[in-house]
């Protein structure tokens, strides 16, 4: 899994800003946006509307919540030796 940080420009409420996320989060965000039939920009704008802190952190929490809703495959969350 690619954990390198990628910085991208997005437009929120008509204002351009940059967001830095790990490549894996950008990939997941793209997948979620495609499934919802919205642009990544529109999805980020909706995340921005409900956030109280840092936008990058809000996006990560959103993606994790969406992954949790989808469920974790058997064995993916267990540690070795349990």
């Amino acid at each position: 899994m690619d954990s390198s940080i990628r910085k991208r420009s997005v437009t929120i409420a008509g204002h351009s800003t940059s967001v830095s996320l790990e490549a894996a989060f950008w990939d997941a965000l793209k997948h979620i946006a495609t499934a919802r039939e919205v642009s990544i920009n529109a999805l980020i704008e909706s995340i921005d509307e409900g956030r109280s802190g840092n936008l990058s952190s809000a996006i990560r929490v959103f993606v994790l919540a969406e992954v949790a809703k989808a469920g974790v495959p058997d064995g993916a969350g267990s540690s070795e030796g349990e």
Side-chain angles (χ1 to χ4, degrees):
M1 186 175 298
D2 188 357
S3 63
S4 60
I5 300 287
R6 304 275 194 260
K7 187 180 234 181
R8 297 199 179 158
S9 294
V10 295
T11 302
I12 300 171
H15 300 285
S16 203
T17 189
S18 62
V19 178
S20 297
L21 294 170
E22 293 78 6
F25 281 99
W26 283 118
D27 291 344
L29 200 60
K30 181 179 178 182
H31 178 78
I32 294 165
T34 299
R36 292 184 177 194
E37 298 181 345
V38 298
S39 68
I40 291 175
N41 232 39
L43 185 57
I44 291 173
E45 192 163 2
S46 71
I47 295 166
D48 180 61
E49 290 171 359
R51 76 180 168 111
S52 58
N54 177 283
L55 180 57
S56 293
S57 295
I59 293 169
R60 287 184 188 96
V61 169
F62 170 82
V63 168
L64 287 174
E66 290 298 304
V67 168
K69 283 183 201 175
V72 177
D74 289 342
S78 64
S79 300
E80 244 180 59
E82 285 189 339

